[in-house]
Amino acid sequence: MSVESFGKLGAAAIASSVRAGDASRSDMIRASFERAREIGAGPDGLNIYLHSDEQASLEEADAIQKRLDSATDVGVLAGVPVAIKDNIASLGLPTTCGSKILAGYVSPFEATAITRLRASGALIVAKTNMDEFAMGSSTENSAYGPTRNPHDVRCVPGGSSGGSAAAVAAGITPIALGSETGGSVRQPAAFCGVVGVKPTYGRVSRYGLVAFASSLDQIGVLGRTVDDAALGLETIAGFDKMDSTSSDVDVPIYRLSALGGLPPDKRGPEGVAMESIRIGRTSVPIPPPPSASTLEGVVIGRPKEYFPDSLDASIRDLCERSLDRFRSMGATIRDISLPRSPLAIPVYYILAPAEASSNLARFDGVRYGLRVDPGKGLKAMYEATRSQGFGPEVTRRVLLGTYVLSAGYYDAYYKKAQAVRTLIGDDFRSVFSSGVNAIFTPTTPTTAFHVGAISDPYEMYLNDIFTVTANLAGVPAMSVPIGRVRRLPVGGQIITAHFDEYTMFRVAYALEASLGAEAHQ
Amino acid sequence: MAVTREDVLHIADLARLGVDGARADALTKELSAILAHMEVLSAVDTASVPPTDGIGAEGTPLRPDERVSPLMERTLESFAPAMRDGFFIVPRLATHEDPAESGA
Amino acid sequence: MSRERYEMVVGLEVHVQLKTRTKAFCGCSTDFGAPPNVNTCPVCLALPGALPVLNERAVELATRAALGLGCKVNPVSIFARKNYFYPDLPKGYQISQFDQPLATGGSVAIGKNEAGADVQIGITRLHMEEDAGKSIHDRYPGATAIDLNRAGVPLIEIVSEPDLRTSADAGAYLRTVKQILQYLDVSDVSMEEGSLRVDANISVRPPGQTKLGTKTEVKNMNSFSAVERALEAEFERQCALLDSGGRVEQQTLLWDGARETVRPSRTKEGSHDYRYFPEPDLLPLKQDEKWIGDARSHLPELPDARKKRLVQEFGISPVEVEQLTATPALAEYFEAVARVSGDGKAAYNWVMGEVLAALRASSGDITHFRIRPADLAQLLNLVRDATISHTAAKRVFALMVETGKLPAQVAADEGLLQVGDEDAIATWVDEVLREHPEEGTRYLAGEKKLQGVLVGFVMKKSKGRADPKRVNQLLSARGG
Ligand SMILES: [Zn+2]
């Protein structure tokens, strides 16, 4: 298999060829690392990976190859190389969250999401670069230098999951895990021209995800295609007794959504056939070619707050083209309003830093990670460790969070923001209870910007303006490539009701099939 | 509500961030600028919003009182900055920090 | 003195470790005395990515404690983070409860006032929280050693109203709360092992004034009597301050037991800003009415109820019952002996006498006492039926403690079964009179007061087996 062809293979295709014995797991590892070298993913190039170990990955692949009989292997992701954002605890490779304070730290336990990936046959090849502790929208806040956008190395890949988005965009892995707090999967997916999914809050266990803002954080999936993202999410989703906020709502087979309108709570009438579709032992193409009835009965909302007059006209045009495609596939487009959405950025930048200020208190130089001890007692050790271990954006947000929680300010900021968060969620609830099945918006107000172009913190925060509402409301959302502006990718966002990832994928599969190559033009 | 330099030094102390003078001035400006954007919230009527606490059908899941082996694939020594005889070792408290006030 | 011009106003915060096998939010053992940091895991070490999951048993025990202390258990309670840095607090915050605690509004009776009415002390709130680890400052020079085995152990904090007016009342309140918690079997409540800790809030005011004075918080007391002494010392300090025209300053004070004094802690007031906010890693704790109702109906018998019942059922006095019910284990032991033997009075005498003496001698505790209540009851019955003498019974008891054998068998093996047979006793009496001619002659001549001495000789000769009643009768008959 050529490196070239590997870069175009989806996860399902890789897994089928590994299960069929046409290629070995180590072939896939070799191809992935070869592709990384070819594209220049290293620290002096795109700077996508923070930690990887080709030799160890090959040995692991060989060991699994010897253990598993290809004929009986039903691993959905058998032999699929997967890259993991560096804030998800892994065995083997370090977990540093893009921070100096965790330089060299190797977790003694593994995140549930990674354990589930391994159980379905995936091979973990790398930990990817990110904004320090996921605080940022450009991956420029990494203590280990910025990641570059594979489409234009002068540009950022977005963030904070910039390394994971770039790995997928560069064809190094078909699937990567990222994490979201305010748009950190969808925004880089849009900037890099890949698919990015933020599941419903509670859908994926947070056990092992290093916390930024616990009430907003979710592990998400980046995929080359909708199908890659669907397979990735299906693998990691579901209840975990180690995470009190994880939900035990049934996880449907998301691939089935590509075939039509089966309700998400049905796993299908024929278990065997369904299972075949799940692991790709079927001749049915996923997704099938679109028709005038593909989205029949689906009502898609177009919220006016997400199409402001100030929106870049080219991005608006690409969104309108997607809405036209929805119509042509039988969907109804309805103008809607989410009136409290413009308040989302202020709410988010109170609540997320507040939780972060508490979540990051554990990085104190006592039990693990960096310790800087000037020899002047305990408090001096804390302050030296934290001031040298955290970068400027983390320091800024921890201070902001400490401030809004401190005596005298709690009610005016934290409590108020919590109440407005409820109102933002109410907007979504009322839209979805009025018969709207999905909401469509641009993912970001702009395309990828140049490294170093944005220096004002608040201007950077505005990158999350269309994505952060889904985190505040807890609903699932994803970004799908819908075209390009001046050669840079543009993402369209699909948002659905709580735990209705099924409909979200149905719409996404249809849009992807309908746009075809236009999605990347 | 503009943030003062004293506020910044106070919260930096609470957060053990060791902010020095020059940085405190810059942060005072940055935080004030960011918080100015938050003022829009004060105009939102939230009187009718029930407290978010306690809403939702489910309560927190409970774990049986059973011992679980910690499943640590690495020892504490492999990541602790300083250990001795099984203890984590930290610098002694300076005089203004009182050991008897630890904990609840 | 101060006592006439000022009134002491005290509220207490009692922290109690719940009796669970594992920690509040992880599966680590709560066993006391393990090597440092052995009972730890990603969760209680606060490793990056670890998350808490609440221990069901901790909720059950906390709820039981709340109901036993007369509190209203809230159907929804909220965990909150209390943020502060300390090296034995791994997460940099303690998971506690703040705005919506587990329970509110209880009370306990700590005795009677002059008018004979119950003195009720209000309980403001009872909430759940986790313990911190241990910082050891005197082990290595210039360094502090951290052991996180305790970190995450489940606690409840019981906050009283400022209803206490004397240090003696404070002591009584603490003993009452401790006893109730023992009866509820929710905690070991041992200050020595750290499973019970007390902080006090104290202020003074002129009698009759309703407004509260400025309070101080006193910490670092290691026994109930230390609490009482610390309150006295702080009361005197505050009174003296006011008398000299000064003002009480709100502050935290530490009790120095060696010097019998309080000293201000060196931490600046106001430097604590705990920045409480709802813990986002846990959902609200929900307990529906039915669950709370079930817990209420399964509450163990509380001390007051048990005292009343024991007095009624076994005819012991109110003073005696206080001793017997000091701990639930002792009360249960007594009740079992009394029930099987059918003799409350004898059971009381034996339990408070021989049993406690034996426990003291071996520094054992009643729950592990070698003689089971049913066996002690059997011994009591042997005495009642005159199968063995009271003197012999004490010897049998000692041997039962030593060997763990049953009383009848011990008595038989040792030849201690009482002899009531006329002929045998007559023979012993004859022999005694022969061997002690002087006392014998004087007794027979009418010196009645020697009868006791002679009975003693007979008992000795018979090795305690002679039935003393019979001996007395026989001697009386001889002495005519
Ligand atoms: Zn633990």
Side-chain angles (χ1 to χ4, degrees), chain A residues 106 108 244 346 349 365-368 371 373 377-379 386-387 396 399 403 409 413 416 418 422-423 458, chain B residues 1 11-13 15-17 27 30 35 37-39 41 44 46 49 52 61 73-74 79-81 89 91-92:
Chain A
V106 182
S244 302
Y349 280 95
V366 174
R367 299 163 312 285
Y368 48 81
R371 173 186 294 189
D373 184 6
L378 179 68
K379 190 163 186 254
R386 289 166 63 81
S387 63
R396 194 178 291 127
L399 284 175
Y403 183 77
Y409 299 106
Y413 289 114
K416 188 74 180 182
Q418 204 61 271
T422 304
L423 295 176
Y458 201 78
Chain B
M1 276 181 269
I11 55 180
D13 183 64
R16 299 289 186 269
L17 280 171
L27 282 163
E30 286 172 15
L35 285 164
H37 292 283
M38 314 301 181
E39 294 307 320
L41 296 184
V44 182
T46 52
V49 179
T52 41
E73 307 245 341
R74 301 167 72 81
F79 51 74
I89 299 296
R92 189 73 169 270

Side-chain angles (χ1 to χ4, degrees), chain A residues 198-230:
Chain A
K198 192 231 41 124
T200 309
Y201 184 80
R203 190 47 125 174
V204 177
S205 168
R206 290 186 297 118
Y207 192 74
L209 170 65
V210 182
F212 160 12
S214 313
S215 75
L216 298 157
D217 293 344
Q218 265 296 282
I219 290 177
V221 182
L222 295 126
R224 210 168 287 160
T225 62
V226 173
D227 195 44
D228 293 331

Side-chain angles (χ1 to χ4, degrees), chain C residues 93-373:
Chain C
Y93 55 84
Q94 178 197 32
I95 302 180
S96 180
Q97 295 186 310
F98 188 59
D99 271 344
Q100 269 174 266
L102 182 83
T104 45
S107 75
V108 293
I110 60 164
K112 309 266 183 213
N113 61 16
E114 297 85 356
D118 280 344
V119 178
Q120 293 284 349
I121 304 301
I123 290 173
T124 316
R125 54 185 274 145
L126 182 152
H127 70 246
M128 298 181 71
E129 60 185 29
E130 58 176 338
D131 206 350
K134 232 169 87 179
S135 295
I136 301 158
H137 301 287
D138 53 8
R139 192 179 172 107
Y140 306 111
T144 294
I146 308 295
D147 175 7
L148 298 176
N149 282 344
R150 276 195 78 90
V153 161
L155 306 177
I156 47 173
E157 180 176 336
I158 304 159
V159 182
S160 87
E161 291 286 329
D163 285 350
L164 298 156
R165 292 291 172 269
T166 66
S167 59
D169 278 0
Y173 168 79
L174 290 172
R175 282 185 290 276
T176 307
V177 167
K178 174 176 169 161
Q179 194 184 40
I180 291 173
L181 296 176
Q182 276 178 320
Y183 272 71
L184 294 168
D185 197 24
V186 299
S187 171
D188 294 328
V189 283
S190 151
M191 275 190 110
E192 294 72 43
E193 286 187 16
S195 55
L196 188 152
R197 296 194 291 267
V198 183
D199 299 331
N201 290 303
I202 170 170
S203 63
V204 303
R205 64 182 172 190
Q209 178 184 307
T210 46
K211 195 172 160 285
L212 292 174
T214 305
K215 68 178 180 182
T216 59
E217 185 173 22
V218 187
K219 293 179 169 230
N220 202 35
M221 290 86 69
N222 58 6
S223 68
F224 289 174
S225 84
V227 173
E228 295 186 35
R229 281 178 289 136
L231 287 175
E232 284 301 322
E234 175 56 6
F235 178 62
E236 292 300 337
R237 191 189 71 84
Q238 289 190 13
C239 292
L241 206 58
L242 294 181
D243 279 346
S244 64
R247 289 188 314 135
V248 175
E249 195 192 330
Q250 184 160 350
Q251 61 179 329
T252 299
L253 299 157
L254 303 176
W255 169 242
D256 184 336
R259 299 208 185 95
E260 293 279 319
T261 175
V262 294
R263 59 181 166 84
S265 92
R266 276 166 289 187
T267 303
K268 288 197 305 280
E269 207 51 40
S271 65
H272 288 309
D273 180 348
Y274 292 123
R275 290 158 284 139
Y276 282 100
F277 72 100
E279 162 60 291
D281 285 332
L282 296 166
L283 303 175
L285 172 62
K286 301 210 169 171
Q287 305 193 78
D288 59 30
E289 289 303 331
K290 189 194 162 303
W291 201 92
I292 296 169
D294 278 359
R296 195 191 309 276
S297 63
H298 288 101
L299 276 189
E301 189 177 38
L302 289 171
D304 281 345
R306 174 159 302 181
K307 284 174 201 167
K308 248 182 232 145
R309 192 171 54 75
L310 293 187
V311 167
Q312 265 174 11
E313 231 174 288
F314 299 108
I316 48 178
S317 76
V319 176
E320 289 165 346
V321 86
E322 286 297 334
Q323 301 169 317
L324 282 172
T325 53
T327 67
L330 186 67
E332 266 146 40
Y333 191 93
F334 160 78
E335 192 174 340
V337 176
R339 197 170 298 287
V340 177
S341 69
D343 186 344
K345 207 75 201 164
Y348 167 79
N349 286 330
W350 275 85
V351 170
M352 292 312 295
E354 302 300 314
V355 172
L356 287 190
L359 288 173
R360 266 193 300 275
S362 64
S363 4
D365 77 277
I366 188 80
T367 35
H368 302 108
F369 189 50
R370 192 154 195 185
I371 302 182
R372 288 173 305 153

